[in-house]
Amino acid sequence: MMHHSKDNYTYLTTASVPRLVISLAIPTIISMLVTSFYNMADTYFVGKINTQSTAAVGIVFSVMSIIQAIGFFFGHGSGNYISRKLGAKELDNAHKMAATGFFLALFMGAMLTVVGLLLLTPLSLALGSTPTILPYTERYLGIVLLGAPFMTSSLVLNNQIRFQGNASYAMVGIVTGAVINVILDPILIFGLDMGISGAAWATVISQMCSFTLLLFMSRRGENIRISFSNFTPSRSFIKEIIGGGSPSLARQGLACVATILLNIAAGAYGDAAIAGMSIVTRIAMFINAFLIGFGQGFQPVCGFNYGAGLYARVRQGFWFSVKVGFVFLLVCAVSGIGYAEEIVELFRKGDPAVIAVGAAALRWQFITFPLGSWIIVSNMMLQTIRKPVRATLLSSARQGLFFIPLIFILPHFLGLQGVEMCQACSDVLSFLLAIPLTCGVLSEMKRKEKLGNVPTT
């Protein structure tokens, strides 16, 4: 059900929390699953070209992570602020922040395009391309970079609309772009015989379509409309964006570094190892998309109610999201662990070397999947209620603080198996870190609730 923003305050602060989270989560889950699906579609269709093309897509994925990191930084930074201000009924500041976050992301995306194209070859080599993979990486990356401004600003629009409690509008823009990508992939790759370039153009065209549709959706209903006249890059607004967006930037930025290091570590064992790990990364992202989407359904509930001082509802939404996520990931892990080879083979059939590496890594991932529920939902709550130090620390852990040292240590002692099990080991350590970081904040909210304290946001 769609609620106008005038009614959103009452709706988000009084409706049943489980029903509220589910209603907001369904559109975001669909958006995340479809987005992950079209990422997998690229891998699937490109996998039918050759091993080098599959590896190239995996290598360029780290650049996509950088672009997404910028988009999420401005999107979450501005969106978290907007939800709290709407909860506090401060509409003027919410409008100014919406424009500021959007235009800063658009400008930054354009800068990434220019710098990336000027440094195309050294960048491709730095990302982990081997001599045999380099031509494919340059071809794919050179085109994908053209879509950077559209991707960064689309992510901002998507998150701002979602944080206003209007996830259905955000879903339409993201899903439409993803569907266009999936349709264009086979047409451009095989129909027009464009190969890996076709996959890249399909991605860019779909991003442009998403951008256009999301900009249109932001002007529908009672959504905050983006206007350059509201662009206010003041120190206070930039500070808010940094505080609210740093956890996302740390998470995505370190994910990029982790992907590069993973490609380099796997590259020591050949192109098949890079391709196998690339496939597993996409599969894990697809499964985690459900949990991330569910957590994003919780974020507007968290932001509005925290801004209104309704801490019991924040805690209720947190525990509900963690429980649902844990059950889902446990079912996925138990169901998939016995079929790892078959799952990987869907993306690279008839290549036993790729399948062997991918299946082993996928089994390790399945073992620790359920722990991701606490890690991801905890991080989303800490980020939304403006606990930047804790949120940044936790968001940095899974693919930064723990993964980066482990990707050097484990392969040194265990060889290829160390590469395959690295992410699983990092997940366990991140879970152990998340427990004290989150429990302290939950206890703090409980104490404030008893005292009747309302936050100043």
Side-chain angles (χ1 to χ4, degrees):
M1 181 176 179
M2 185 62 61
H3 295 264
H4 297 308
S5 63
K6 293 178 181 178
D7 304 321
N8 272 358
Y9 179 87
T10 302
Y11 177 58
L12 290 167
T13 56
T14 60
S16 165
V17 171
R19 183 168 63 88
L20 195 54
V21 172
I22 291 172
S23 66
L24 291 170
I26 288 173
T28 57
I29 289 171
I30 294 172
S31 297
M32 290 299 302
L33 288 175
V34 173
T35 301
S36 294
F37 177 75
Y38 90 70
N39 283 332
M40 291 174 68
D42 269 355
T43 304
Y44 173 79
F45 289 117
V46 170
K48 295 186 177 299
I49 303 172
N50 53 40
T51 301
Q52 286 71 34
S53 293
T54 305
V57 171
I59 287 169
V60 174
F61 182 68
S62 56
V63 176
M64 302 282 279
S65 294
I66 294 175
I67 298 171
Q68 289 174 349
I70 299 299
F72 282 127
F73 172 73
F74 289 107
H76 287 166
S78 60
N80 287 323
Y81 179 89
I82 288 168
S83 72
R84 296 198 311 274
K85 289 304 176 183
L86 291 177
K89 299 185 178 181
E90 298 178 22
L91 303 183
D92 186 55
N93 283 331
H95 280 76
K96 289 180 179 178
M97 178 59 87
T100 303
F102 172 80
F103 285 109
L104 287 177
L106 185 66
F107 300 152
M108 187 63 69
M111 286 179 59
L112 287 174
T113 298
V114 174
V115 174
L117 290 175
L118 289 174
L119 302 174
L120 187 59
T121 298
L123 179 59
S124 299
L125 291 169
L127 294 172
S129 292
T130 63
T132 51
I133 297 172
L134 182 60
Y136 298 91
T137 302
E138 289 183 324
R139 204 175 310 155
Y140 188 75
L141 179 58
I143 297 168
V144 164
L145 282 169
L146 299 175
F150 303 103
M151 183 185 291
T152 54
S153 48
S154 291
L155 288 169
V156 172
L157 289 170
N158 175 56
N159 282 288
Q160 288 183 354
I161 293 171
R162 179 173 60 80
F163 272 104
Q164 293 172 62
N166 299 319
S168 294
Y169 284 129
M171 176 193 71
V172 172
I174 294 295
V175 169
T176 300
V179 170
I180 290 171
N181 193 344
V182 173
I183 293 172
L184 288 178
D185 263 337
I187 295 174
L188 299 182
I189 295 172
F190 306 114
L192 299 180
D193 197 27
M194 295 174 67
I196 195 171
S197 298
W201 278 115
T203 298
V204 172
I205 293 169
S206 69
Q207 288 166 357
M208 293 173 67
C209 292
S210 282
F211 169 81
T212 304
L213 194 52
L214 282 166
L215 193 58
F216 173 74
M217 287 294 175
S218 71
R219 307 183 72 81
R220 291 285 301 276
E222 298 299 323
N223 284 313
I224 293 176
R225 300 189 175 195
I226 302 297
S227 171
F228 192 75
S229 61
N230 286 325
F231 180 51
T232 314
S234 64
R235 178 178 295 182
S236 62
F237 275 6
I238 291 174
K239 183 179 177 182
E240 286 291 341
I241 291 174
I242 292 172
S246 291
S248 295
L249 183 64
R251 181 176 60 250
Q252 290 291 123
L254 287 170
C256 168
V257 175
T259 302
I260 294 170
L261 294 176
L262 179 63
N263 288 330
I264 293 171
Y269 304 94
D271 292 353
I274 297 178
M277 295 306 300
S278 171
I279 289 170
V280 172
T281 299
R282 298 302 177 97
I283 294 170
M285 281 186 58
F286 182 74
I287 296 174
N288 277 322
F290 171 88
L291 178 59
I292 295 171
F294 202 87
Q296 288 179 344
F298 162 64
Q299 282 184 300
V301 181
C302 179
F304 266 78
N305 285 282
Y306 190 82
L310 302 174
Y311 303 112
R313 289 174 62 81
V314 176
R315 290 187 293 109
Q316 184 184 2
F318 170 81
W319 286 113
F320 176 70
S321 300
V322 168
K323 290 173 185 176
V324 172
F326 178 82
V327 171
F328 172 78
L329 292 177
L330 183 62
V331 170
C332 288
V334 172
S335 303
I337 201 165
Y339 298 96
E341 284 85 2
E342 288 82 358
I343 295 171
V344 175
E345 193 174 10
L346 291 172
F347 299 89
R348 190 63 189 151
K349 192 171 183 179
D351 195 330
V354 172
I355 294 169
V357 173
L362 189 57
R363 284 200 174 92
W364 281 107
Q365 284 274 280
F366 279 142
I367 292 171
T368 59
F369 256 170
L371 302 181
S373 179
W374 179 273
I375 298 168
I376 292 174
V377 178
S378 292
N379 189 62
M380 288 185 169
M381 180 184 73
L382 294 173
Q383 185 174 0
T384 303
I385 66 174
R386 193 67 165 78
K387 300 289 183 182
V389 176
R390 290 173 184 253
T392 302
L393 181 61
L394 182 54
S395 65
S396 303
R398 186 173 178 266
Q399 292 187 304
L401 297 179
F402 297 126
F403 185 92
I404 291 175
L406 286 173
I407 197 62
F408 289 105
I409 296 169
L410 294 180
H412 177 74
F413 291 102
L414 301 174
L416 181 57
Q417 186 183 36
V419 177
E420 295 164 348
M421 66 188 294
C422 187
Q423 187 63 70
C425 293
S426 179
D427 289 348
V428 172
L429 294 174
S430 298
F431 172 73
L432 295 175
L433 175 65
I435 293 174
L437 288 177
T438 306
C439 287
V441 172
L442 291 171
S443 299
E444 179 189 333
M445 279 193 282
K446 199 169 186 177
R447 288 194 300 271
K448 285 184 176 180
E449 182 190 340
K450 290 178 180 178
L451 294 172
N453 290 343
V454 178
T456 56
T457 58

